[in-house]
Amino acid sequence: MIKEKTIHILMATYNGQDYLRRQLESICSQSIQNWVLHICDDCSTDRTVEIAEQFAERYTGKIIIMNNEKNMGAKQTFARLIREIREPGDYAFCDQDDIWYENKLELMQKNLRIAEKIGNEPILIYSDVSLIDEKESLIGESFVGSSGLHLPEKNVFEYLLSCNIVQGAAMLWNGRLHKLITDIPKQALMHDWWVSLVAAGHGRIVFIPERLSGYRQHGDNVIGGFDRKKWHKSFLGKIGLKNWKTLIENNHMLQNERQMQAQAYIAQYGDSRATEYVRIMKKNRFSRTYLGIKKGYLFMSWKYSLKYYLF
């Protein structure tokens, strides 16, 4: 029997004492045990580190803890993990407050190996997740279904330049991709978005429809679930003179942030598609909309087109 590759789980923690224990229990109960959990704490002021250390003592050699000297935020804490954890194997991000179903790692690694048989290149696998509340009650069957964020059949890289469709805690990627990702630049909007961009730019992204974890929704989420139907209703309700200016300003800010991320990608990897995206985004809204549709940079949904392109 061939020994499977080690899965290096990268977890950033910050004041997560309310939910961390259940997440660690779910990781330690996985159906496969070829994993090492790397925790980087971002200067928590509660019992987060104490809880992590309790598990590290119980699972010797399986859980490794490091601590930031100053608070850096989630993105840069994950960036530190990316920089410092360079051992051979597969890699996965992990949030401190979710719950992993017991077959998550086994099924994802199995699908990763199948994908590599088609082409041994940089590959990122991601799954669907369920939505749960603070008490672990199910509040949504499918994050992908409720958000409407589906992997397109073509122009994946172009799509990802404008929209992040892959939830970080639902990812698993191979060593070939990890070698390409040496850091997460400050211009990246989020750590998972950057990893997705590199995967689409240099290899493949593969979606598996199984819901393999519970994505917890609570008041302290950095980024929560997104329901496109509720967004549609709330957006229509906010269209008015009072809110219009703020809405336009927010979209200008988002456009600028996406351009900065694309420029950081160009600086590190060089890509004519990213260069074309930046060129299009600098044009006026009508040219931007026309060229975006023509060249495949526009979202597949009119809601997102309206939100990110028309202003």
Tab-separated table of all heavy atoms in Angstrom, residues 3 142 188 192 241:
chain	number	residue	atom	x	y	z
A	3	LYS	N	1.947	4.886	0.763
A	3	LYS	CA	1.683	5.851	1.814
A	3	LYS	C	1.301	7.190	1.193
A	3	LYS	O	1.986	7.711	0.329
A	3	LYS	CB	2.914	6.017	2.707
A	3	LYS	CG	2.703	6.950	3.876
A	3	LYS	CD	3.951	7.034	4.723
A	3	LYS	CE	3.751	7.983	5.891
A	3	LYS	NZ	4.975	8.106	6.724
A	142	SER	N	-26.114	24.470	1.198
A	142	SER	CA	-25.004	24.611	0.258
A	142	SER	C	-24.551	26.061	0.164
A	142	SER	O	-25.345	26.942	-0.191
A	142	SER	CB	-25.427	24.112	-1.127
A	142	SER	OG	-24.512	24.505	-2.121
A	188	ALA	N	-2.855	41.530	-2.234
A	188	ALA	CA	-3.880	40.501	-2.384
A	188	ALA	C	-5.068	40.840	-1.491
A	188	ALA	O	-4.895	41.255	-0.343
A	188	ALA	CB	-3.322	39.137	-2.008
A	192	ASP	N	-6.930	33.305	0.314
A	192	ASP	CA	-7.506	32.262	-0.534
A	192	ASP	C	-7.693	32.749	-1.962
A	192	ASP	O	-7.530	31.984	-2.920
A	192	ASP	CB	-8.823	31.738	0.049
A	192	ASP	CG	-9.825	32.843	0.377
A	192	ASP	OD1	-9.554	34.023	0.110
A	192	ASP	OD2	-10.895	32.503	0.929
A	241	LEU	N	-31.308	58.018	-3.531
A	241	LEU	CA	-30.350	59.109	-3.496
A	241	LEU	C	-29.495	59.076	-2.244
A	241	LEU	O	-28.311	59.430	-2.267
A	241	LEU	CB	-31.095	60.447	-3.600
A	241	LEU	CG	-31.798	60.713	-4.931
A	241	LEU	CD1	-32.569	62.019	-4.856
A	241	LEU	CD2	-30.788	60.750	-6.072
